[in-house]
């Protein structure tokens, strides 16, 4: 069954254990709608409230206030086993003395499913995660990635309305994490189950998600598709958390507004004059001080003295094979990080050939944030 998750002013507050210690707002009046069939990420740093939010959706933590709906069904007061959710934790929590098939089918035994149906559903779940050849093995005979697939199969076998994943890849090495990203994306697409995935890993969210909510201090800082969040962050926090960026302090010297809410802003920085095509200019000043966010890969290296380019000097180079990372010093002692794919400004030893360069920045890549 297709399920939309809706949160209405959901909160979780904890009172301090010492007198006069006040209240900690782990989650503070979050309202959010997760569409049917979406792989949706709750993303943020440690302590931002994302796991608390996930556990309230699962029913493991009772909210202080607000409501949780699966479609139009209010599940706020229901016990976890009444919500028909499947949960995958950071630790795989597999029974070491049981086979893979027995681990996967454990929840069906609790639900009093007949043996024939149980066997059919276990086989189906193992096939979905491509672990059917390993049905009779014990967990200690499996790799970390294989154990994670078994944990996923155990969550899927109950045919949940909602799948909940709490940092499921955190215990895997880098190569396995990459493989499992694709597998989880595939499984969610094939099953069509509405999935909520908690992580602090920006790469996971950007590469897998249909939608992302970035959390900060118990509230939603921004929500939207991953590319929109990366290219058009609404705050300094979101810009800084989602990958690397350069912040430039600037003054708006001129602005031309359009009927569709956009604006072309002329900006003066210590490094030189730049422009920005602001897609949502409603909250930006027509004049005054702002902060600009420019991603390192958005700065294009050109020859010095190129018209419209900012003059700079490479002062540090890190050669990474397919890419080089430069620290470039601009006028006004401003330093920025610049990424160059298929680097052409390094020699065979990985050092800079010619430090003097120009930098061109497309106005659409300059995100203006109100100071």
């Amino acid at each position: 069954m297709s399920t939309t998750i809706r949160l209405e002013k959901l909160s979780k507050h904890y009172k301090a254990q010492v007198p006069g210690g006040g209240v900690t707002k782990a989650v503070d009046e979050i309202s959010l709608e997760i569409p049917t069939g979406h792989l949706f990420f709750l993303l943020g740093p440690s302590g931002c409230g994302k796991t608390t939010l996930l556990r309230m959706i699962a029913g493991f933590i009772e909210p202080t206030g607000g409501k949780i709906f699966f479609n139009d069904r209010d599940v706020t007061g229901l016990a976890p086993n009444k919500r028909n959710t499947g949960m995958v934790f950071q630790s795989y929590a597999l029974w070491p003395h049981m086979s893979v098939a027995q681990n996967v089918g454990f929840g069906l035994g609790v639900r009093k499913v007949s043996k024939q149906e149980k066997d059919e559903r276990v086989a189906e779940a193992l096939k979905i995660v491509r672990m059917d050849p390993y049905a009779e093995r014990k967990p200690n005979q499996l790799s970390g990635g294989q154990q994670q697939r078994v944990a996923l199969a155990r969550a899927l076998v109950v045919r949940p309305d909602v799948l909940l994943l709490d940092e499921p890849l955190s215990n895997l090495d880098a190569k396995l994490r990459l493989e499992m990203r694709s597998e989880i994306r595939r499984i969610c697409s094939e099953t069509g189950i509405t999935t909520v995935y908690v992580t602090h890993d920006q790469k996971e969210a950007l590469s897998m998600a249909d939608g992302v909510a970035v959390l900060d201090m118990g509230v939603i800082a921004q929500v939207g598709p991953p590319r929109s969040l990366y290219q058009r962050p609404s705050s300094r926090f979101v810009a800084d958390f989602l990958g690397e960026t350069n912040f430039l302090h600037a003054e708006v010297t001129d602005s031309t507004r359009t009927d569709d809410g956009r604006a072309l802003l002329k900006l003066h920085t210590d490094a030189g004059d730049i422009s920005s095509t602001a897609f949502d200019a409603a909250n930006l000043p027509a004049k005054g001080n702002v902060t600009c966010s420019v991603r390192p890969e958005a700065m294009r290296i050109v020859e010095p003295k190129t018209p419209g380019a900012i003059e700079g000097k490479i002062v540090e180079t890190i050669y990474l094979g397919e890419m080089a990372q430069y620290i470039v010093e601009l006028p006004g002692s401003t330093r920025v990080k610049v990424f160059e794919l298929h680097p052409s400004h390094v020699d065979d030893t990985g050092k800079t050939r010619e430090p003097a360069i120009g930098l061109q920045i497309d106005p659409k890549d300059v995100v203006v944030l109100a100071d």
Side-chain angles (χ1 to χ4, degrees), residues 9-82:
K9 294 186 176 181
L10 197 64
S11 298
K12 183 60 184 178
H13 300 169
Y14 293 99
K15 291 183 180 179
Q17 298 300 310
V18 295
V23 173
T24 299
K25 297 181 178 180
V27 173
D28 193 24
E29 293 197 355
I30 283 182
S31 295
L32 178 67
E33 184 167 314
I34 300 173
T36 295
H38 272 216
L39 174 53
F40 193 91
F41 274 65
L42 301 176
L43 176 68
S46 297
C48 71
K50 56 188 184 295
T51 295
T52 301
L53 187 58
L54 186 80
R55 288 175 176 264
M56 284 193 287
I57 295 171
F60 298 143
I61 295 177
E62 184 180 352
T64 303
K67 292 185 179 295
I68 304 166
F69 292 90
F70 289 177
N71 293 329
D72 294 325
R73 180 186 177 214
D74 186 348
V75 300
T76 313
L78 293 182
N81 62 328
K82 302 294 185 183

Side-chain angles (χ1 to χ4, degrees), residues 99-113:
S99 68
V100 165
Q102 289 169 334
N103 266 282
V104 172
F106 183 80
L108 296 180
V110 174
R111 287 168 170 79
K112 309 297 184 186
V113 173

Side-chain angles (χ1 to χ4, degrees), residues 109-145:
V110 174
R111 287 168 170 79
K112 309 297 184 186
V113 173
S114 69
K115 185 181 185 308
Q116 181 179 347
E117 183 182 353
K118 178 180 173 181
D119 291 344
E120 290 173 356
R121 286 168 66 170
V122 167
E124 177 188 12
L126 287 175
K127 188 174 182 179
I128 289 172
V129 300
R130 297 175 178 169
M131 284 295 292
D132 41 316
Y134 304 90
E136 298 309 316
R137 291 196 185 183
K138 297 290 177 64
N140 61 7
Q141 296 176 300
L142 305 176
S143 68

Side-chain angles (χ1 to χ4, degrees), residues 116-272:
Q116 181 179 347
E117 183 182 353
K118 178 180 173 181
D119 291 344
E120 290 173 356
R121 286 168 66 170
V122 167
E124 177 188 12
L126 287 175
K127 188 174 182 179
I128 289 172
V129 300
R130 297 175 178 169
M131 284 295 292
D132 41 316
Y134 304 90
E136 298 309 316
R137 291 196 185 183
K138 297 290 177 64
N140 61 7
Q141 296 176 300
L142 305 176
S143 68
Q146 289 171 332
Q147 290 183 45
Q148 185 58 272
R149 290 170 189 258
V150 175
L152 271 169
R154 186 177 55 192
L156 293 170
V157 77
V158 298
R159 296 175 181 168
D161 296 327
V162 172
L163 181 62
L164 305 172
L165 308 176
D166 187 6
E167 303 205 42
L169 307 185
S170 60
N171 292 329
L172 302 181
D173 62 38
K175 185 178 179 182
L176 279 176
R177 281 202 302 272
L178 287 174
E179 290 177 3
M180 284 304 298
R181 284 182 199 172
S182 299
E183 281 300 289
I184 291 174
R185 176 74 260 184
R186 175 189 65 80
I187 290 165
C188 291
S189 296
E190 288 181 1
T191 61
I193 298 172
T194 305
T195 304
V196 185
Y197 188 125
V198 160
T199 187
H200 62 271
D201 188 321
Q202 303 94 323
K203 300 288 187 188
E204 279 183 24
L206 293 173
S207 63
M208 296 170 64
D210 295 312
V212 180
V214 181
L215 274 65
D216 180 31
M217 303 294 287
V219 299
I220 292 178
Q222 191 174 352
V223 62
R227 185 173 179 180
S228 173
L229 296 186
Y230 185 81
Q231 294 185 336
R232 292 288 155 190
S234 62
S235 67
R236 186 181 180 116
F237 170 80
V238 175
D240 194 31
F241 188 76
L242 284 177
E244 297 192 62
T245 194
N246 298 294
F247 291 112
L248 301 174
H249 295 292
E251 179 185 2
V252 181
T253 57
D254 188 37
S255 63
T256 304
R257 309 276 165 147
T258 62
D259 293 338
D260 60 0
R262 292 187 297 170
L264 177 64
L265 304 180
K266 301 293 185 181
L267 303 156
H268 176 72
T269 74
D270 290 341

